Amino acid sequence: MSRDEQKKLAAEKALEYVEDGMVVGVGTGSTVAFFIDGLARMKNRIEGAVSSSEQSTRQLESHGIPVFDLNAVGPLKLYVDGADECDPYNRLIKGGGAALTREKIIAQASDRFICIIDAAKQVEHLGEFPVPVEVIPMARSLVARAIAKMDGHPIWRENVVTDNGNWILDVHHWRIADPVGLEAKLNQIPGVVTCGLFAARGADEVIIGGKVRPIRRP
Ligand code: 5RP
């Protein structure tokens, strides 16, 4: 099965978690794009969505799905999003599409985070995919130097400005032994808005293709 077919199957499976009257938290990326197309088929049963990016907002609105400000709707029951890497404990690297900050906010605001991926995203240890870090522009070199001291190799994703008006550093060559600890450490560097490690609050369930994958417990 192709990666796109797997993404579509995962998205279809995630639609089973959507309940009548819900405001659904919606992530960003090519896998989520399949989910949004599916959501459009049931748009009359839901109240609307909270979106993690301008890109997803455009797609939702093109289907006539109302998009709400998170502040206006409060905690969400369900958030559906993709990922760039996923370890056996459902900890993730996200932000390949530069939407990590809003994604992390919505994940935190949601009771249940369903992550939809294709099999190639599964890894034993996070870090093969570069860890995105969203930074306030004036702090780019300060943050890069701090990351270099932590044995990371930050590369500025030039020509990319996030929906929040910030920049992205992609940190290569990290073999991440302690994702929760590293996430906390990165988030404490002045100038970091957030990092793409979703470890303290990982996914509640991961769907690969059409199946929910069992989580490994520490
Ligand atoms: C965007 C993300 C995406 O979820 C991640 O990049 C996966 O994207 P895709 O579904 O296109 O493979 O974190 O910031």
Side-chain angles (χ1 to χ4, degrees), residues 84-89 91-93 117 119-129 213 216:
D84 300 299
E85 257 186 17
C86 175
D87 80 3
Y89 306 96
R91 300 177 299 200
L92 314 168
I93 292 179
I117 56 173
K121 308 273 185 68
Q122 295 185 96
V123 294
E124 191 59 30
H125 300 283
L126 298 176
E128 193 69 38
F129 191 91
R213 185 192 68 163
R216 190 186 296 167

Side-chain angles (χ1 to χ4, degrees), residues 25-30 32-33 36 49-63 65 67 79-81 99 103 163:
V26 173
T28 298
S30 57
V32 165
I36 296 175
V50 169
S51 168
S52 61
S53 64
E54 300 303 325
Q55 179 190 319
S56 291
T57 298
R58 278 194 297 275
Q59 193 186 349
L60 287 158
E61 289 181 340
S62 75
H63 286 303
I65 299 172
V67 176
Y79 178 51
V80 177
D81 198 359
E103 291 173 340
D163 288 344

